[in-house]
Each structure stands twice: as C-alpha cells, then as structure tokens.
PDB file of all heavy atoms in Angstrom:
ATOM      1  N   LEU A 276     -17.897  48.739  10.893  1.00  0.00           N
ATOM      2  CA  LEU A 276     -16.905  48.111  11.756  1.00  0.00           C
ATOM      3  C   LEU A 276     -17.087  46.598  11.822  1.00  0.00           C
ATOM      4  O   LEU A 276     -18.212  46.084  11.767  1.00  0.00           O
ATOM      5  CB  LEU A 276     -16.974  48.719  13.152  1.00  0.00           C
ATOM      6  CG  LEU A 276     -16.294  50.091  13.274  1.00  0.00           C
ATOM      7  CD1 LEU A 276     -16.782  50.843  14.498  1.00  0.00           C
ATOM      8  CD2 LEU A 276     -14.780  49.912  13.310  1.00  0.00           C
ATOM      9  N   LYS A 277     -15.946  45.924  11.953  1.00  0.00           N
ATOM     10  CA  LYS A 277     -15.915  44.466  12.023  1.00  0.00           C
ATOM     11  C   LYS A 277     -15.266  44.053  13.345  1.00  0.00           C
ATOM     12  O   LYS A 277     -14.465  44.811  13.903  1.00  0.00           O
ATOM     13  CB  LYS A 277     -15.087  43.908  10.865  1.00  0.00           C
ATOM     14  CG  LYS A 277     -15.523  44.369   9.490  1.00  0.00           C
ATOM     15  CD  LYS A 277     -14.553  43.872   8.427  1.00  0.00           C
ATOM     16  CE  LYS A 277     -14.964  44.354   7.048  1.00  0.00           C
ATOM     17  NZ  LYS A 277     -14.019  43.872   5.995  1.00  0.00           N
ATOM     18  N   PRO A 278     -15.559  42.834  13.802  1.00  0.00           N
ATOM     19  CA  PRO A 278     -14.909  42.388  15.046  1.00  0.00           C
ATOM     20  C   PRO A 278     -13.384  42.449  14.974  1.00  0.00           C
ATOM     21  O   PRO A 278     -12.731  42.719  15.991  1.00  0.00           O
ATOM     22  CB  PRO A 278     -15.416  40.949  15.184  1.00  0.00           C
ATOM     23  CG  PRO A 278     -16.757  40.971  14.525  1.00  0.00           C
ATOM     24  CD  PRO A 278     -16.600  41.898  13.351  1.00  0.00           C
ATOM     25  N   GLU A 279     -12.840  42.238  13.788  1.00  0.00           N
ATOM     26  CA  GLU A 279     -11.376  42.283  13.662  1.00  0.00           C
ATOM     27  C   GLU A 279     -10.810  43.688  13.758  1.00  0.00           C
ATOM     28  O   GLU A 279      -9.587  43.876  13.768  1.00  0.00           O
ATOM     29  CB  GLU A 279     -10.924  41.628  12.348  1.00  0.00           C
ATOM     30  CG  GLU A 279     -11.629  42.126  11.116  1.00  0.00           C
ATOM     31  CD  GLU A 279     -12.795  41.214  10.715  1.00  0.00           C
ATOM     32  OE1 GLU A 279     -13.554  40.781  11.615  1.00  0.00           O
ATOM     33  OE2 GLU A 279     -12.939  40.958   9.500  1.00  0.00           O
ATOM     34  N   ASP A 280     -11.656  44.698  13.836  1.00  0.00           N
ATOM     35  CA  ASP A 280     -11.191  46.070  14.082  1.00  0.00           C
ATOM     36  C   ASP A 280     -10.963  46.326  15.567  1.00  0.00           C
ATOM     37  O   ASP A 280     -10.454  47.396  15.939  1.00  0.00           O
ATOM     38  CB  ASP A 280     -12.205  47.078  13.548  1.00  0.00           C
ATOM     39  CG  ASP A 280     -12.330  47.058  12.040  1.00  0.00           C
ATOM     40  OD1 ASP A 280     -11.288  46.963  11.351  1.00  0.00           O
ATOM     41  OD2 ASP A 280     -13.473  47.128  11.542  1.00  0.00           O
ATOM     42  N   THR A 281     -11.346  45.375  16.393  1.00  0.00           N
ATOM     43  CA  THR A 281     -11.157  45.521  17.833  1.00  0.00           C
ATOM     44  C   THR A 281      -9.680  45.663  18.155  1.00  0.00           C
ATOM     45  O   THR A 281      -8.867  44.826  17.773  1.00  0.00           O
ATOM     46  CB  THR A 281     -11.746  44.311  18.573  1.00  0.00           C
ATOM     47  OG1 THR A 281     -13.161  44.298  18.381  1.00  0.00           O
ATOM     48  CG2 THR A 281     -11.431  44.383  20.063  1.00  0.00           C
ATOM     49  N   ALA A 282      -9.346  46.747  18.863  1.00  0.00           N
ATOM     50  CA  ALA A 282      -7.950  47.029  19.176  1.00  0.00           C
ATOM     51  C   ALA A 282      -7.868  48.289  20.027  1.00  0.00           C
ATOM     52  O   ALA A 282      -8.865  49.009  20.182  1.00  0.00           O
ATOM     53  CB  ALA A 282      -7.135  47.235  17.899  1.00  0.00           C
ATOM     54  N   VAL A 283      -6.685  48.538  20.535  1.00  0.00           N
ATOM     55  CA  VAL A 283      -6.396  49.843  21.116  1.00  0.00           C
ATOM     56  C   VAL A 283      -5.884  50.719  19.979  1.00  0.00           C
ATOM     57  O   VAL A 283      -4.955  50.337  19.271  1.00  0.00           O
ATOM     58  CB  VAL A 283      -5.352  49.758  22.239  1.00  0.00           C
ATOM     59  CG1 VAL A 283      -5.013  51.159  22.753  1.00  0.00           C
ATOM     60  CG2 VAL A 283      -5.864  48.875  23.370  1.00  0.00           C
ATOM     61  N   TYR A 284      -6.505  51.853  19.803  1.00  0.00           N
ATOM     62  CA  TYR A 284      -6.139  52.772  18.723  1.00  0.00           C
ATOM     63  C   TYR A 284      -5.276  53.895  19.283  1.00  0.00           C
ATOM     64  O   TYR A 284      -5.647  54.553  20.257  1.00  0.00           O
ATOM     65  CB  TYR A 284      -7.399  53.335  18.067  1.00  0.00           C
ATOM     66  CG  TYR A 284      -8.048  52.337  17.141  1.00  0.00           C
ATOM     67  CD1 TYR A 284      -8.695  51.214  17.645  1.00  0.00           C
ATOM     68  CD2 TYR A 284      -7.991  52.500  15.755  1.00  0.00           C
ATOM     69  CE1 TYR A 284      -9.263  50.277  16.791  1.00  0.00           C
ATOM     70  CE2 TYR A 284      -8.558  51.574  14.902  1.00  0.00           C
ATOM     71  CZ  TYR A 284      -9.197  50.463  15.434  1.00  0.00           C
ATOM     72  OH  TYR A 284      -9.760  49.536  14.582  1.00  0.00           O
ATOM     73  N   TYR A 285      -4.138  54.094  18.633  1.00  0.00           N
ATOM     74  CA  TYR A 285      -3.176  55.101  19.061  1.00  0.00           C
ATOM     75  C   TYR A 285      -3.071  56.205  18.026  1.00  0.00           C
ATOM     76  O   TYR A 285      -2.917  55.951  16.822  1.00  0.00           O
ATOM     77  CB  TYR A 285      -1.798  54.479  19.248  1.00  0.00           C
ATOM     78  CG  TYR A 285      -1.715  53.462  20.346  1.00  0.00           C
ATOM     79  CD1 TYR A 285      -1.931  52.120  20.085  1.00  0.00           C
ATOM     80  CD2 TYR A 285      -1.423  53.844  21.657  1.00  0.00           C
ATOM     81  CE1 TYR A 285      -1.856  51.174  21.094  1.00  0.00           C
ATOM     82  CE2 TYR A 285      -1.344  52.907  22.673  1.00  0.00           C
ATOM     83  CZ  TYR A 285      -1.569  51.574  22.381  1.00  0.00           C
ATOM     84  OH  TYR A 285      -1.496  50.643  23.389  1.00  0.00           O
ATOM     85  N   CYS A 286      -3.092  57.416  18.503  1.00  0.00           N
ATOM     86  CA  CYS A 286      -2.846  58.589  17.684  1.00  0.00           C
ATOM     87  C   CYS A 286      -1.363  58.944  17.775  1.00  0.00           C
ATOM     88  O   CYS A 286      -0.737  58.733  18.832  1.00  0.00           O
ATOM     89  CB  CYS A 286      -3.724  59.719  18.221  1.00  0.00           C
ATOM     90  SG  CYS A 286      -3.284  61.359  17.697  1.00  0.00           S
ATOM     91  N   CYS A 287      -0.814  59.483  16.687  1.00  0.00           N
ATOM     92  CA  CYS A 287       0.597  59.865  16.721  1.00  0.00           C
ATOM     93  C   CYS A 287       0.817  61.079  15.826  1.00  0.00           C
ATOM     94  O   CYS A 287       0.013  61.355  14.936  1.00  0.00           O
ATOM     95  CB  CYS A 287       1.473  58.708  16.282  1.00  0.00           C
ATOM     96  SG  CYS A 287       0.992  57.955  14.718  1.00  0.00           S
ATOM     97  N   ALA A 288       1.910  61.775  16.086  1.00  0.00           N
ATOM     98  CA  ALA A 288       2.209  62.990  15.342  1.00  0.00           C
ATOM     99  C   ALA A 288       3.690  63.050  14.995  1.00  0.00           C
ATOM    100  O   ALA A 288       4.544  62.664  15.806  1.00  0.00           O
ATOM    101  CB  ALA A 288       1.819  64.225  16.146  1.00  0.00           C
ATOM    102  N   ALA A 289       3.963  63.536  13.797  1.00  0.00           N
ATOM    103  CA  ALA A 289       5.346  63.750  13.368  1.00  0.00           C
ATOM    104  C   ALA A 289       5.751  65.184  13.669  1.00  0.00           C
ATOM    105  O   ALA A 289       4.961  66.111  13.478  1.00  0.00           O
ATOM    106  CB  ALA A 289       5.486  63.463  11.882  1.00  0.00           C
ATOM    107  N   ASP A 290       6.971  65.357  14.117  1.00  0.00           N
ATOM    108  CA  ASP A 290       7.451  66.694  14.460  1.00  0.00           C
ATOM    109  C   ASP A 290       7.352  67.637  13.262  1.00  0.00           C
ATOM    110  O   ASP A 290       7.584  67.212  12.126  1.00  0.00           O
ATOM    111  CB  ASP A 290       8.899  66.596  14.933  1.00  0.00           C
ATOM    112  CG  ASP A 290       9.354  67.859  15.606  1.00  0.00           C
ATOM    113  OD1 ASP A 290       9.130  67.996  16.817  1.00  0.00           O
ATOM    114  OD2 ASP A 290       9.917  68.720  14.893  1.00  0.00           O
ATOM    115  N   PRO A 291       7.053  68.911  13.500  1.00  0.00           N
ATOM    116  CA  PRO A 291       6.933  69.868  12.393  1.00  0.00           C
ATOM    117  C   PRO A 291       8.205  69.988  11.559  1.00  0.00           C
ATOM    118  O   PRO A 291       8.142  70.331  10.368  1.00  0.00           O
ATOM    119  CB  PRO A 291       6.649  71.195  13.107  1.00  0.00           C
ATOM    120  CG  PRO A 291       6.060  70.810  14.404  1.00  0.00           C
ATOM    121  CD  PRO A 291       6.708  69.522  14.779  1.00  0.00           C
ATOM    122  N   THR A 292       9.361  69.710  12.159  1.00  0.00           N
ATOM    123  CA  THR A 292      10.624  69.861  11.441  1.00  0.00           C
ATOM    124  C   THR A 292      10.996  68.610  10.641  1.00  0.00           C
ATOM    125  O   THR A 292      12.014  68.594   9.943  1.00  0.00           O
ATOM    126  CB  THR A 292      11.764  70.147  12.429  1.00  0.00           C
ATOM    127  OG1 THR A 292      11.907  69.023  13.310  1.00  0.00           O
ATOM    128  CG2 THR A 292      11.481  71.400  13.253  1.00  0.00           C
ATOM    129  N   TYR A 293      10.161  67.600  10.711  1.00  0.00           N
ATOM    130  CA  TYR A 293      10.489  66.305  10.097  1.00  0.00           C
ATOM    131  C   TYR A 293       9.516  66.006   8.983  1.00  0.00           C
ATOM    132  O   TYR A 293       8.296  66.137   9.131  1.00  0.00           O
ATOM    133  CB  TYR A 293      10.428  65.209  11.151  1.00  0.00           C
ATOM    134  CG  TYR A 293      10.789  63.833  10.654  1.00  0.00           C
ATOM    135  CD1 TYR A 293      12.115  63.451  10.493  1.00  0.00           C
ATOM    136  CD2 TYR A 293       9.802  62.901  10.351  1.00  0.00           C
ATOM    137  CE1 TYR A 293      12.450  62.196  10.043  1.00  0.00           C
ATOM    138  CE2 TYR A 293      10.126  61.638   9.899  1.00  0.00           C
ATOM    139  CZ  TYR A 293      11.455  61.290   9.748  1.00  0.00           C
ATOM    140  OH  TYR A 293      11.791  60.044   9.295  1.00  0.00           O
ATOM    141  N   TRP A 294      10.047  65.604   7.851  1.00  0.00           N
ATOM    142  CA  TRP A 294       9.190  65.196   6.732  1.00  0.00           C
ATOM    143  C   TRP A 294       9.623  63.832   6.251  1.00  0.00           C
ATOM    144  O   TRP A 294      10.806  63.568   6.056  1.00  0.00           O
ATOM    145  CB  TRP A 294       9.267  66.209   5.584  1.00  0.00           C
ATOM    146  CG  TRP A 294       8.251  65.925   4.526  1.00  0.00           C
ATOM    147  CD1 TRP A 294       6.970  66.421   4.444  1.00  0.00           C
ATOM    148  CD2 TRP A 294       8.404  65.061   3.389  1.00  0.00           C
ATOM    149  NE1 TRP A 294       6.338  65.912   3.337  1.00  0.00           N
ATOM    150  CE2 TRP A 294       7.179  65.084   2.669  1.00  0.00           C
ATOM    151  CE3 TRP A 294       9.453  64.277   2.911  1.00  0.00           C
ATOM    152  CZ2 TRP A 294       6.983  64.354   1.503  1.00  0.00           C
ATOM    153  CZ3 TRP A 294       9.259  63.533   1.755  1.00  0.00           C
ATOM    154  CH2 TRP A 294       8.039  63.577   1.058  1.00  0.00           C
ATOM    155  N   SER A 295       8.668  62.965   6.049  1.00  0.00           N
ATOM    156  CA  SER A 295       8.966  61.632   5.531  1.00  0.00           C
ATOM    157  C   SER A 295       7.982  61.289   4.438  1.00  0.00           C
ATOM    158  O   SER A 295       6.805  61.643   4.509  1.00  0.00           O
ATOM    159  CB  SER A 295       8.873  60.596   6.649  1.00  0.00           C
ATOM    160  OG  SER A 295       8.989  59.291   6.135  1.00  0.00           O
ATOM    161  N   SER A 296       8.481  60.585   3.432  1.00  0.00           N
ATOM    162  CA  SER A 296       7.586  60.114   2.372  1.00  0.00           C
ATOM    163  C   SER A 296       6.779  58.901   2.827  1.00  0.00           C
ATOM    164  O   SER A 296       5.801  58.538   2.194  1.00  0.00           O
ATOM    165  CB  SER A 296       8.405  59.757   1.125  1.00  0.00           C
ATOM    166  OG  SER A 296       9.320  58.713   1.436  1.00  0.00           O
ATOM    167  N   ASN A 297       7.201  58.291   3.910  1.00  0.00           N
ATOM    168  CA  ASN A 297       6.570  57.055   4.382  1.00  0.00           C
ATOM    169  C   ASN A 297       5.820  57.312   5.685  1.00  0.00           C
ATOM    170  O   ASN A 297       6.415  57.384   6.756  1.00  0.00           O
ATOM    171  CB  ASN A 297       7.630  55.973   4.586  1.00  0.00           C
ATOM    172  CG  ASN A 297       7.015  54.627   4.921  1.00  0.00           C
ATOM    173  OD1 ASN A 297       5.820  54.546   5.193  1.00  0.00           O
ATOM    174  ND2 ASN A 297       7.808  53.585   4.890  1.00  0.00           N
ATOM    175  N   LEU A 298       4.521  57.448   5.580  1.00  0.00           N
ATOM    176  CA  LEU A 298       3.693  57.675   6.764  1.00  0.00           C
ATOM    177  C   LEU A 298       3.153  56.381   7.337  1.00  0.00           C
ATOM    178  O   LEU A 298       2.361  56.410   8.272  1.00  0.00           O
ATOM    179  CB  LEU A 298       2.531  58.608   6.424  1.00  0.00           C
ATOM    180  CG  LEU A 298       2.908  60.007   5.959  1.00  0.00           C
ATOM    181  CD1 LEU A 298       1.667  60.895   5.861  1.00  0.00           C
ATOM    182  CD2 LEU A 298       3.931  60.654   6.881  1.00  0.00           C
ATOM    183  N   TYR A 299       3.577  55.248   6.781  1.00  0.00           N
ATOM    184  CA  TYR A 299       3.053  53.963   7.200  1.00  0.00           C
ATOM    185  C   TYR A 299       3.857  53.328   8.333  1.00  0.00           C
ATOM    186  O   TYR A 299       3.424  52.333   8.904  1.00  0.00           O
ATOM    187  CB  TYR A 299       3.048  52.991   6.020  1.00  0.00           C
ATOM    188  CG  TYR A 299       2.191  53.439   4.860  1.00  0.00           C
ATOM    189  CD1 TYR A 299       2.693  54.265   3.873  1.00  0.00           C
ATOM    190  CD2 TYR A 299       0.869  53.020   4.757  1.00  0.00           C
ATOM    191  CE1 TYR A 299       1.911  54.685   2.805  1.00  0.00           C
ATOM    192  CE2 TYR A 299       0.075  53.412   3.688  1.00  0.00           C
ATOM    193  CZ  TYR A 299       0.603  54.251   2.726  1.00  0.00           C
ATOM    194  OH  TYR A 299      -0.182  54.655   1.676  1.00  0.00           O
TER     195      TYR A 299
END
C-alpha cells in the first residue's frame, strides 16, 4: 500500500439481470 491509496473504498454490485462488457 501507498499513501496515494488513501481513500474511502466502496463496494458495488451489478443486478443479476444486467450484463455489461464494461465493468470499469
């Protein structure tokens, strides 16, 4: 880990019925 990794980290989920090629 680096000081620049300091942040609030958020978890997220895509709905089971939704598919996307772009997870970014």
Side-chain angles (χ1 to χ4, degrees):
L276 282 161
K277 306 174 181 180
E279 51 263 43
D280 293 318
T281 295
V283 176
Y284 283 71
Y285 295 91
C286 163
C287 51
D290 194 86
T292 63
Y293 182 80
W294 189 91
S295 172
S296 61
N297 187 349
L298 298 189
Y299 299 87

